Amino acid sequence: MTSQDNVNSPAHYTRGKYEVIDIIQASMSHEGFQGYLLGNMTKYLMRCQYKHQDGGSEDLKKLIWYAEKFIANIRVEK
């Protein structure tokens, strides 16, 4: 039996051929997607201490996931 990874690949986000995050990114401008990522980082930061009995560690891991996605998608303007 495989364990579910609610941070990096939640089962409810990976049904079908495409991951939801990839569809969202494809539907937005680069700047819009970066804003989406920042919004999700803010969401997970603001509610982590209230949402889980584990001190919010899952939400903090999700915040880190979104931050890493944000960093990976930074475009260097020349």
Side-chain angles (χ1 to χ4, degrees), residues 12-29:
H12 57 282
Y13 285 172
T14 56
R15 294 180 189 228
K17 190 173 181 179
Y18 302 101
E19 265 200 67
V20 174
I21 191 74
D22 297 327
I23 295 168
I24 292 169
Q25 183 174 9
S27 73
M28 304 176 102
S29 68

Side-chain angles (χ1 to χ4, degrees), residues 25 30 33-34 37-38 41 63-76:
Q25 183 174 9
H30 175 75
F33 185 62
Q34 290 296 84
L37 296 172
L38 285 172
M41 291 187 302
L63 177 140
I64 292 167
W65 187 92
Y66 279 100
E68 289 173 345
K69 186 81 167 170
F70 182 89
I71 292 166
N73 284 280
I74 291 174
R75 289 187 181 163
V76 178

Side-chain angles (χ1 to χ4, degrees), residues 1-67:
M1 183 171 149
T2 60
S3 63
Q4 184 168 330
D5 184 347
N6 287 328
V7 175
N8 296 296
S9 190
H12 57 282
Y13 285 172
T14 56
R15 294 180 189 228
K17 190 173 181 179
Y18 302 101
E19 265 200 67
V20 174
I21 191 74
D22 297 327
I23 295 168
I24 292 169
Q25 183 174 9
S27 73
M28 304 176 102
S29 68
H30 175 75
E31 293 77 16
F33 185 62
Q34 290 296 84
Y36 168 81
L37 296 172
L38 285 172
N40 276 300
M41 291 187 302
T42 303
K43 172 182 69 175
Y44 286 115
L45 177 63
M46 297 303 292
R47 69 183 192 181
C48 68
Q49 62 184 328
Y50 305 110
K51 189 174 174 196
H52 301 288
Q53 292 178 348
D54 67 354
S57 65
E58 185 173 296
D59 274 8
L60 290 173
K61 289 175 186 175
K62 289 178 181 181
L63 177 140
I64 292 167
W65 187 92
Y66 279 100

